[in-house]
Amino acid sequence: MSGLHRSSSSSKNIGKSLPSKELLDDLCSRFVLNVPEEDQQSFERILFLVEYAYWYYEDNAVENDPTLKSLSLKEFTSLLFNSCDVLRPYVSNVDDIFKDFTSYKCRVPVTGAIILDETYERCLLVKGWKGSSWSFPRGKKSKDEEDYACAIREVLEETGFDVSKLLKKEEYIEFTFRQQRVRLYIVAGVTDDTAFAPQTKKEISEIAWHRLDHLQPASNEVITHGVAGLKLYMVAPFLGSLKSWISKHPAPVKRRSDKPLRALSVWNARTSSTGGNGTTTTTTTTTESYNKKQPQLIERPKDTVPGNTFRSFKFNTSAILESGFSA
Ligand code: M7G
Ligand code: MG
């Protein structure tokens, strides 16, 4: 899920304090310095680590300490660069580094799945935690990861559902938006009593079956509104090809036309406390579980060169060693 970002300066932040230098140093050493050297080679890698530190800050530190201010990733990045010795030399470039990182993120290829029910009248969409748009379950490819493997992993992370036995490698719809390739595998015939629940924290807020004929928008824009007023993100451009796929593939279950199926919400963060495999989604995520995700290196977008700030970046490893850090 590629989230749309929202400014954190809301009224609930009034009177709250910024994280201490001690906390920022701790987050920096745990998430940014405590990784293999390979991951510290460029700013785009560093910024992915900063993002993990940020999620940990928001999901754990802020949640456990109500006096702490909730921040945007940009604010957090700037504080971290200002506070931590190894990052401070680059603080004058932090705005450019952040800009390059966000544009880099938008070029990493994305794969996922269009999951259809048994009538092929509804598809499964997930709603992002921030914002209110619905999209197909999907996400960025890791380094050296096959397209289909990324789709299986992202669908599992975002819905708790394993499509590995159902996914056909040749059955997909693919588009390139600006510089980002998006491939969605068609996984058809999933029963609507299947249990879904995301495995990640604060990424997905709701999962639902939506009627395809309610998604058809007036345009092919990336952000659109369906006929039911649904806000959609990168759904509309796939609908044409999806309809033609459906017209060539008979659905396993035929619906009576006088009894149309309704949209069906199957998981909601507000009302649910358990995940699809019986795992609790509200448990405090430990540093270890965040650390486990760190080896996930993002694939470098093809035919692109890193931005200037990345090219000139060389992490000062001796400063890290001098800071007393040991792996
Ligand atoms: P992603 O993993 O960067 O993208 O998550 P991908 O699915 O395209 O690979 C997309 C968005 O979900 C992020 O920009 C965040 O807004 C949100 N998000 C994802 N994760 C794993 C977390 C998390 O652990 N904590 C929080 N607070 N937000 C997350
Ligand atoms: Mg994801």
Side-chain angles (χ1 to χ4, degrees), residues 26-266:
D26 180 48
L27 292 171
C28 185
S29 59
R30 278 201 279 169
F31 288 95
V32 185
L33 307 183
N34 187 19
V35 292
E37 212 174 311
E38 190 197 0
D39 298 6
Q40 298 177 345
Q41 292 308 306
S42 66
F43 270 121
E44 86 261 7
R45 294 264 156 91
I46 298 277
L47 268 278
F48 277 114
L49 301 174
V50 169
E51 192 171 48
Y52 280 115
Y54 166 67
W55 288 336
Y56 188 80
Y57 172 76
E58 287 292 316
D59 299 351
N60 294 74
V62 174
E63 225 161 79
N64 296 330
D65 179 356
T67 68
L68 271 181
K69 191 174 175 189
S70 174
L71 303 166
S72 68
L73 175 61
K74 189 165 190 233
E75 290 166 329
F76 178 83
T77 305
S78 171
L79 286 176
L80 205 69
F81 272 67
N82 274 285
S83 172
C84 305
D85 291 343
V86 281
L87 296 173
R88 207 177 301 112
Y90 314 101
V91 75
S92 58
N93 301 106
V94 69
D95 286 349
D96 285 340
I97 292 167
F98 193 82
K99 224 187 274 165
D100 280 358
F101 173 65
T102 41
S103 91
Y104 176 86
K105 265 212 290 198
C106 297
R107 286 177 282 136
V108 177
V110 163
T111 73
I114 298 174
I115 297 174
L116 297 175
D117 71 0
E118 290 179 300
T119 65
Y120 297 0
E121 285 177 23
R122 294 181 299 187
C123 67
L124 195 78
L125 297 182
V126 297
K127 193 168 163 187
W129 192 268
K130 297 179 180 174
S132 51
S133 327
W134 292 88
S135 68
F136 294 112
R138 36 162 279 174
K140 289 183 278 299
K141 276 179 76 177
S142 300
K143 191 171 177 280
D144 302 328
E145 188 175 44
E146 299 279 356
D147 284 340
Y148 74 92
C150 171
I152 292 167
R153 176 180 56 76
E154 285 289 343
V155 171
L156 188 64
E157 283 176 13
E158 297 186 359
T159 72
F161 183 59
D162 180 2
V163 294
S164 58
K165 299 237 159 61
L166 304 170
L167 182 146
K168 297 189 185 112
K169 290 181 192 170
E170 317 73 40
E171 213 84 271
Y172 61 81
I173 303 171
E174 182 173 294
F175 282 101
T176 298
F177 303 94
R178 294 188 186 97
Q179 292 179 67
Q180 184 168 50
R181 181 171 67 83
V182 182
R183 175 179 294 192
L184 299 177
Y185 292 88
I186 300 171
V187 174
V190 174
T191 57
D192 69 2
D193 59 358
T194 304
F196 297 99
Q199 297 185 336
T200 54
K201 207 183 173 195
K202 296 199 178 180
E203 183 176 359
I204 304 300
S205 66
E206 194 176 348
I207 303 173
W209 290 105
H210 286 289
R211 288 191 57 83
L212 286 171
D213 59 2
H214 284 176
L215 305 179
Q216 200 63 62
S219 76
N220 238 21
E221 293 296 303
V222 168
I223 298 168
T224 50
H225 289 86
V227 288
L230 292 167
K231 202 165 156 193
L232 304 169
Y233 178 69
M234 281 213 199
V235 170
F238 291 88
L239 294 174
S241 306
L242 181 61
K243 290 233 165 88
S244 78
W245 184 92
I246 290 171
S247 69
K248 291 183 212 117
H249 298 79
V253 173
K254 198 111 203 90
R255 289 298 306 177
R256 279 167 41 197
S257 56
D258 59 331
K259 217 169 151 237
L261 286 169
R262 290 186 185 195
L264 177 68
S265 178
V266 285

Side-chain angles (χ1 to χ4, degrees), residues 6-13 54 69-72 75:
R6 199 179 50 179
S7 166
S8 66
S9 44
S10 66
S11 56
K12 64 177 196 285
N13 259 332
Y54 166 67
K69 191 174 175 189
S70 174
L71 303 166
S72 68
E75 290 166 329

Side-chain angles (χ1 to χ4, degrees), residues 263-284:
L264 177 68
S265 178
V266 285
W267 186 86
N268 191 313
R270 274 178 292 122
T271 54
S272 283
S273 60
T274 54
N277 306 319
T279 50
T280 303
T281 52
T282 50
T283 49
T284 307

